[in-house]
């Protein structure tokens, strides 16, 4: 449950202020409040002074890792279908409602959650709440819509299959976790999407789209009490909010599950070789995640990073090179992704391996650590200048974490990372057995 620090979680039907931020003159610049409705639906808002926009997200605790093999891709399929219409609105009505007020709306599916979001002028927030509430709770999921959207998703899968960067990262995930929900692509496969029936999708919808499995997060120029009233009305259609339940707790683990070291290769007649070289990482709640953030940023997070300088600037081996850290409730990976000409593949792989070994043996310099911390802090603060990013921060914190830190608290945790912390973590990570995924026209 979302809480500031480690204070007790409130009972259903109550409202609590989580954070209040004031400026030097004592004026409130930001206030985060949380209400848990009796049905278990959570409403979290951040009031932002000086803005004229508002953003809403409906976060549902279901993703591709919740699917059986027969339902592979169902979360993403359902995300598409919820835009197709309700008893009150056609698909066109849904689009017109937000287009008419200049709003932006979309959705995305991950391995662990699905999000429907919109950004509008503050005066049009009620419209956005009503439209998203209607979509999420009362979708008709007709047979005709299922068949029409099936072809759209098959086209989307084909599009991703044509993108070597998508292919190599899917291959990397499969190497890491095998033929498990975590190792499979989010969108499904041609076979799973073709075979999926409307009845299966409908059952999946009713099983996972429950009030206790959802969070509504809103940020911008708003009044919390008004937002809660709007949510009650919009989500209360058809008795959706009837009944009493406790919010579904998020899955947490500090010990990441094992990964499968080794190599996976897909031969394709394309102009580049795409590779991902990585190791087991950490979960999203591991207390060392701030140290990993600094390490990842300094290693391959920008043009001044170790990998960019060594692979691209000094050796001219590749145009695109970056490092990444992927976190899940009970799993994680850390890796380096590169796209290069086939003739430079061997040199790229040797350079990346050498740099990881060097960082494992020596850590990073004090200058690299400070630069990584500065880049991480700057990116965090600058990325939270708009209502959409604030909405995402509080929504994700409520759904998948057990606390909400203030921006200053996060900055303090980043600032507390030392060069010794980074060296210790790098030694632990980069001395593990490696995973390698390669897509391209070479077997070398």
């Amino acid at each position: 449950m979302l809480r500031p620090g480690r204070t007790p979680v409130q009972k259903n039907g109550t409202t609590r202020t989580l954070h209040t931020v004031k400026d030097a003159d004592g004026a409130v610049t930001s206030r985060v409040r949380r209400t848990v409705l009796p049905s278990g639906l959570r409403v979290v808002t951040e009031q932002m002074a000086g803005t004229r926009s508002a953003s809403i997200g409906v976060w549902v605790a279901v993703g591709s890792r919740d699917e059986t093999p027969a339902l592979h891709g169902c979360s993403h399929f359902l995300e598409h279908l919820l835009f197709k219409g309700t008893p009150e609105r056609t698909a066109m009505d849904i689009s017109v409602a937000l287009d008419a007020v200049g709003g932006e709306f979309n959705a995305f599916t991950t391995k662990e959650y699905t999000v429907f979001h919109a950004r509008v002028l503050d005066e049009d927030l009620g419209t956005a709440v009503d439209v998203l509430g209607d979509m999420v709770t009362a979708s008709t999921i007709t047979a005709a819509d299922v068949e029409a959207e099936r072809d759209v998703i098959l086209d989307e899968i084909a599009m991703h299959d044509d993108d070597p960067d998508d292919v190599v990262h899917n291959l990397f995930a499969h190497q890491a976790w095998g033929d498990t929900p975590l190792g499979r692509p989010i969108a499904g496969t041609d076979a799973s999407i073709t075979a999926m029936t409307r009845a299966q999708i409908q059952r999946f919808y009713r099983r996972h789209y429950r009030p206790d499995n959802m969070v509504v997060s809103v940020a911008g120029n708003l009044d919390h009490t008004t937002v809660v009233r709007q949510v009650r009305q919009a989500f209360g259609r058809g008795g959706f909010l009837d009944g009493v339940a406790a919010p579904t707790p998020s899955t947490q683990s500090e010990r990441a599950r094992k990964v499968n070291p080794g190599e996976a290769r897909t031969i394709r007649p394309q102009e580049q070789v795409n590779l991902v070289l990585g190791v087991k990482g950490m979960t999203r709640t591991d207390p060392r995640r701030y140290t990993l953030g600094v390490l990842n940023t300094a290693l391959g997070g920008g043009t001044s990073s170790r990998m960019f300088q060594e692979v691209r600037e000094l050796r001219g081996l590749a145009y695109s090179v970056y490092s990444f850290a992927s976190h899940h409730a009970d799993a994680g990976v850390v890796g380096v992704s590169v796209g290069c000409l086939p003739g430079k593949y061997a040199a790229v792989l040797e350079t990346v391996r050498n740099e990881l070994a060097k960082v494992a043996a020596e850590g990073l310099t004090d200058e690299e650590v400070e630069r990584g911390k500065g880049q991480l802090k700057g990116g965090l603060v600058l990325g939270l200048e708009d209502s959409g990013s604030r909405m995402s921060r509080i929504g994700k914190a409520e759904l998948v974490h057990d606390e909400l830190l203030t921006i200053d608290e996060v900055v303090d945790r980043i600032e507390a990372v030392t060069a010794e912390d980074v060296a210790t973590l790098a030694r632990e990570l980069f001395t593990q057995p490696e995973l390698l995924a390669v897509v391209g026209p070479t077997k070398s």
Side-chain angles (χ1 to χ4, degrees), residues 68-342:
T68 63
L71 291 173
H72 181 201
C74 192
S75 301
H76 178 250
F77 204 150
L78 186 54
E79 173 216 312
H80 279 237
L81 287 170
L82 296 196
F83 284 87
K84 303 300 286 185
T86 72
E88 293 185 22
R89 292 180 173 93
T90 65
M92 184 64 174
D93 292 334
I94 291 171
S95 296
V96 167
L98 291 172
D99 284 350
V101 296
E104 306 165 353
F105 74 114
N106 213 328
F108 61 89
T109 304
T110 73
K111 292 183 185 291
E112 297 185 311
Y113 51 85
T114 307
V115 183
F116 302 83
H117 56 95
R119 182 169 178 258
V120 293
L121 296 177
D122 51 9
E123 62 195 57
D124 298 314
L125 178 58
T127 297
V129 174
D130 191 64
V131 171
L132 290 186
D134 189 22
M135 286 172 50
V136 168
T137 65
S139 178
T140 51
I141 310 181
T142 67
D145 288 337
V146 169
E147 292 311 311
E149 209 59 30
R150 190 191 311 276
D151 289 339
V152 172
I153 292 171
L154 290 173
D155 282 346
E156 186 177 351
I157 291 172
M159 178 185 70
H160 288 302
D161 284 345
D162 285 340
D163 185 336
D165 192 55
D166 286 347
V167 173
V168 76
H169 279 273
N170 283 337
L171 189 64
F172 181 77
H174 191 270
Q175 175 60 42
W177 297 298
D179 188 24
T180 67
L182 203 56
R184 299 178 193 132
I186 292 169
T189 64
D190 285 355
S192 67
I193 296 302
T194 300
M196 204 173 299
T197 67
R198 176 188 178 275
Q200 288 176 308
I201 298 170
Q202 183 78 21
R203 286 194 297 269
F204 190 85
Y205 176 41
R206 295 304 176 194
R207 183 163 66 250
H208 293 285
Y209 279 64
R210 312 182 315 269
D212 56 299
N213 211 36
M214 293 182 185
V215 171
V216 179
S217 63
V218 190
N221 185 24
L222 56 83
D223 172 73
H224 180 82
T225 302
T226 300
V227 170
V228 171
R229 184 174 67 250
Q230 292 169 338
V231 169
R232 284 181 183 274
Q233 182 176 351
F235 285 73
R237 291 175 170 86
F240 184 78
L241 295 180
D242 293 350
V244 177
T248 302
S250 59
T251 303
Q252 308 289 357
S253 174
E254 291 187 3
R255 178 174 295 180
R257 64 164 62 189
K258 292 180 180 180
V259 299
N260 305 312
E263 297 184 11
R265 294 174 180 264
T266 296
I267 306 303
R268 286 193 172 189
Q270 58 196 37
E271 296 300 317
Q272 271 199 325
V273 175
N274 290 78
L275 68 93
V276 176
L277 180 71
V279 294
K280 187 183 85 168
M282 59 182 59
T283 69
R284 65 187 178 216
T285 55
D286 193 300
R288 301 168 299 169
R289 63 189 181 275
Y290 298 100
T291 302
L292 178 56
V294 174
L295 172 59
N296 179 54
T297 302
L299 182 64
T303 57
S304 66
S305 66
R306 177 78 67 96
M307 287 298 174
F308 191 93
Q309 288 295 313
E310 288 294 328
V311 174
R312 176 170 166 170
E313 293 297 305
L314 297 181
R315 303 174 190 271
L317 295 175
Y319 175 77
S320 173
V321 54
Y322 62 90
S323 64
F324 64 92
S326 178
H327 307 285
H328 302 292
D330 58 350
V333 286
V334 179
V336 177
S337 179
V338 190
C340 65
L341 294 174

Side-chain angles (χ1 to χ4, degrees), residues 46-49 51 53-55 122 218-222 387 390:
E46 181 168 5
Q47 181 183 5
M48 299 168 61
T51 62
S53 70
S55 295
D122 51 9
V218 190
N221 185 24
L222 56 83
S387 61
R390 295 276 181 148

Side-chain angles (χ1 to χ4, degrees), residues 382-395:
L382 294 176
L384 293 174
E385 291 292 314
D386 65 88
S387 61
S389 55
R390 295 276 181 148
M391 174 277 292
S392 295
R393 191 178 87 92
I394 61 175

Side-chain angles (χ1 to χ4, degrees), residues 389-418:
S389 55
R390 295 276 181 148
M391 174 277 292
S392 295
R393 191 178 87 92
I394 61 175
K396 188 174 182 180
E398 173 65 51
L399 193 73
V400 303
H401 294 294
D402 64 349
E403 65 180 358
L404 174 66
L405 302 176
T406 66
I407 303 302
D408 287 342
E409 287 171 332
V410 175
V411 168
D412 287 344
R413 293 194 180 190
I414 295 171
E415 190 58 45
V417 173
T418 66

